[in-house]
Amino acid sequence: MKKLMLVLFASVTMAANLSAQNFFTRDGKIKFDATAANSPEKIEALSKTATCVLKTTDGAMQWAVLFKSFTFEKTLMGEHFNENYVESSKYPKATFTGKITNLQEVNLTKDGTYNAVVTGKMSVHGVTKDVTTNGAITVGGGMIKINAGFTLNLADYNIDIPSLVSDKVAHDVKILIDAPLKPMN
Amino acid sequence: MKKIYLLLAFLIPVSLVAQDDLLSLLGEDKTIDYATASFKTNRVVNGHSIENTAAGVLDFKISHRFTPLRQGIYDLFGLDGASIRFGLDYGINDRLMIGVGRSTREKMFDGFAKFKILRQSTGARNMPITLSYLTDVQIKSVKFADQTRENHFSDRLFYTHQLLIGRKFGERLSLQLMPTLVHRNLTTTPDDKNDVFAAGIAGRFKLTKRVAFNIEYYYVPEGQIVTDYTNCLSVGFDIETGGHVFQLHFTNSADMNYKGFITETTEPWFYEGADGNMLSGIRFGFNISRVFTLKKPKGLE
């Protein structure tokens, strides 16, 4: 009986600990810029509803953003983005599942700003690729803030840019991420 | 046994966290996913589609309907004669749009408002259809044919009320039904009804990412119009190139206004002429739409 109590106690505290060690957001910002070098118009979009969960114990993280949540300067661009490029009715979201690989240099429990290296799998338009990128992680005020920027090659994800618009739409898309994560209870 | 269950109950949270899918901890997605781009533009061919011009966007439309193809090479298959409409549409918000236009036929001015009552969606809200209401007024400004009779300004007015009930079935196919009422203040003969009911059906089939096939048919039940008329059938292709949509079509109506193509279309696609020869009322036509963003969407940093 004593043993059983011990096991019970251990699992209760473990569960409590683990749930406090997850940080999350539902309103992360993801911005992308697909403007070609000599394009007459800016092709930029912003989503304010990216979701992310980060597990502080092992640095595992998962991201998702709905393509339809991106707002463009011109509504028609958004329609083309969803209909012709990412085909959001077939592939509604972009996801990333990965891990902070230099966790020995990133102390997620101590205030400070750290350079993190994140490696994982990115899924866009039905294609999954291994991705490694650097980002800044700021721990402070009970929050964990993630800032990152990287480039994504559209051809890698089978997204065609027709020659008609190749002077406007870049083949490499710059992506910026800004997400403050709150502790999950 | 009870104890084991208890133990299991405590272990469940652990196993949840241990699995790979961290995002599942956030629970269900609570967003509403609206069906978009059921049609390429807010018109099918002559009549409206369930689509609206987006909020803050101005859509300039130039439309032509030529004379029948049967004129042959002498008239370049009808291209020598054209009926023209210029129009401006504007999206006030996600649900309401307005528009004005001017047509060469009967020197017609028109204005309309279209409101989305229901929007097809999945996710947090399931709505199987899109339902829009359209109201349209047309003002014939051509001089009265008979100057000797007493003519009133109200004689120049025509009204349309239309419900558009549509659904996007998957990625390629969209269908809509359009019960329509056209009110004519003045009719050609006293036996013609002032109120004409019509039932419209239209569809869109996406052939490629940038080309779609459209069909539109308006059926007018008999007994409402005694003067010569026939139902209007139109088929066409939508071709999208960046900010333009080119709609190229074949139709048997020379008119692009509701009162015209519903109550005054006279030549069927194929019919027997007075001399017994087969004739065709098919005309070539196009709508070109060019959009300009006047007001940028809010929330862009």
Side-chain angles (χ1 to χ4, degrees):
Chain A
M1 194 61 196
K2 245 184 192 173
K3 256 187 194 167
L4 183 65
M5 287 301 281
L6 204 69
V7 173
L8 280 178
F9 182 73
S11 28
V12 169
T13 46
M14 241 170 94
N17 270 342
L18 280 172
S19 63
Q21 280 157 2
N22 289 320
F23 281 72
F24 79 103
T25 183
R26 279 197 179 88
D27 44 17
K29 287 180 193 164
I30 297 186
K31 189 178 173 178
F32 74 78
D33 183 349
T35 314
N38 298 315
S39 169
E41 48 190 354
K42 264 193 189 171
I43 300 168
E44 283 182 344
L46 175 72
S47 168
K48 290 177 171 176
T49 55
T51 51
C52 169
V53 174
L54 168 72
K55 201 167 141 190
T56 52
T57 44
D58 60 356
M61 60 166 77
Q62 199 169 23
W63 293 80
V65 63
L66 283 169
F67 288 122
K68 274 194 179 171
S69 71
F70 282 96
T71 312
F72 289 73
E73 206 177 271
K74 293 182 178 168
T75 321
L76 191 64
M77 281 180 187
E79 193 178 309
H80 292 161
F81 170 73
N82 281 295
E83 285 278 301
N84 303 340
Y85 296 97
V86 296
E87 300 178 84
S88 59
S89 54
K90 268 193 243 163
Y91 315 107
K93 53 177 103 175
T95 58
F96 175 81
T97 306
K99 221 172 176 173
I100 301 170
T101 50
N102 60 337
L103 208 60
Q104 64 282 2
E105 292 155 42
V106 183
N107 189 345
L108 293 172
T109 53
K110 202 179 143 208
D111 285 6
T113 300
Y114 308 94
N115 245 320
V117 181
V118 175
T119 300
K121 290 188 185 301
M122 172 103 75
S123 294
V124 174
H125 197 235
V127 179
T128 303
K129 291 252 164 203
D130 288 319
V131 173
T132 298
T133 183
N134 291 313
I137 293 188
T138 311
V139 182
M143 307 268 284
I144 297 178
K145 200 164 152 16
I146 299 180
N147 286 87
F150 58 96
T151 310
L152 193 145
N153 181 271
L154 293 181
D156 282 353
Y157 295 92
N158 289 344
I159 298 173
D160 289 333
I161 305 299
S163 53
L164 195 71
V165 294
S166 63
D167 57 333
K168 290 182 184 164
V169 184
H171 293 272
D172 291 301
V173 178
K174 284 175 230 141
I175 295 168
L176 288 173
I177 293 175
D178 175 12
L181 310 182
K182 293 172 283 195
M184 189 192 290
N185 296 311
Chain B
M1 198 61 194
K2 250 184 192 169
K3 278 171 192 162
I4 291 173
Y5 280 131
L6 205 67
L7 185 65
L8 279 176
F10 280 115
L11 283 171
I12 283 167
V14 181
S15 58
L16 261 180
V17 177
Q19 78 184 39
D20 230 14
D21 195 9
L22 288 171
L23 282 176
S24 64
L25 297 176
L26 292 179
E28 286 283 300
D29 260 345
K30 286 205 180 70
T31 51
I32 301 174
D33 185 10
Y34 290 110
T36 53
S38 307
F39 287 83
K40 285 243 188 270
T41 86
N42 54 29
R43 309 299 161 99
V44 183
V45 174
N46 292 316
H48 280 261
S49 75
I50 50 173
E51 286 302 319
N52 276 22
T53 303
V57 173
L58 183 74
D59 184 350
F60 177 51
K61 284 188 191 293
I62 309 169
S63 307
H64 283 51
R65 300 291 182 273
F66 298 97
T67 47
L69 296 174
R70 64 162 186 272
Q71 318 275 17
I73 192 72
Y74 180 69
D75 265 346
L76 199 61
F77 301 97
L79 296 192
D80 286 350
S83 137
I84 302 166
R85 180 180 180 274
F86 286 90
L88 284 173
D89 296 351
Y90 182 72
I92 292 174
N93 57 39
D94 287 343
R95 287 177 183 268
L96 179 65
M97 68 172 289
I98 53 169
V100 290
R102 168 66 159 73
S103 307
T104 52
R105 265 175 72 92
E106 300 183 303
K107 303 190 185 298
M108 187 77 81
F109 290 91
D110 68 272
F112 71 88
K114 184 161 68 172
F115 184 75
K116 277 193 188 185
I117 301 163
L118 301 174
R119 291 180 284 180
Q120 186 185 340
S121 64
T122 53
R125 191 191 300 145
N126 257 311
M127 177 56 64
I129 57 157
T130 295
L131 172 68
S132 286
Y133 167 67
L134 173 91
T135 177
D136 173 296
V137 59
Q138 292 161 240
I139 307 161
K140 184 161 92 175
S141 76
V142 70
K143 282 177 185 150
F144 285 106
D146 184 358
Q147 299 282 348
T148 57
R149 72 185 278 275
E150 198 184 331
N151 291 307
H152 305 280
F153 175 74
S154 59
D155 296 342
R156 300 183 172 279
L157 298 177
F158 303 86
Y159 303 95
T160 311
H161 300 280
Q162 182 171 51
L163 283 177
L164 299 122
I165 306 149
R167 176 169 167 84
K168 187 177 186 179
F169 296 89
E171 222 188 320
R172 289 175 184 270
L173 180 71
S174 303
L175 293 175
Q176 62 174 37
L177 296 171
M178 305 86 80
T180 310
L181 169 69
V182 176
H183 176 84
R184 308 177 287 174
N185 273 352
L186 183 69
T187 55
T188 324
T189 71
D191 292 335
D192 277 301
K193 296 267 194 295
N194 292 95
D195 288 325
V196 176
F197 290 94
I201 183 164
R204 185 283 304 251
F205 189 80
K206 215 171 150 183
L207 300 171
T208 72
K209 280 179 187 171
R210 290 170 184 82
V211 180
F213 174 75
N214 284 341
I215 183 160
E216 179 188 72
Y217 181 67
Y218 279 90
Y219 170 73
V220 181
E222 299 205 355
Q224 303 183 89
I225 307 170
V226 296
T227 41
D228 192 22
Y229 85 100
T230 188
N231 294 322
C232 178
L233 170 69
S234 317
V235 298
F237 295 91
D238 289 358
I239 302 162
E240 182 178 48
T241 62
H244 290 90
V245 177
F246 294 89
Q247 295 187 291
L248 311 177
H249 31 248
F250 295 101
T251 173
N252 57 337
S253 169
D255 212 309
M256 290 152 271
N257 289 307
Y258 277 97
K259 160 262 190 186
F261 68 80
I262 288 179
T263 71
E264 289 167 10
T265 301
T266 53
E267 288 181 289
W269 272 50
F270 297 102
Y271 64 106
E272 200 176 311
D275 55 1
N277 285 334
M278 278 303 281
L279 291 176
S280 160
I282 302 173
R283 301 152 183 271
F284 176 65
F286 65 78
N287 304 340
I288 296 173
S289 146
R290 166 80 221 191
V291 295
F292 303 92
T293 302
L294 298 191
K295 259 169 61 189
K296 288 174 189 170
K298 278 180 206 150
L300 277 170
E301 279 179 328

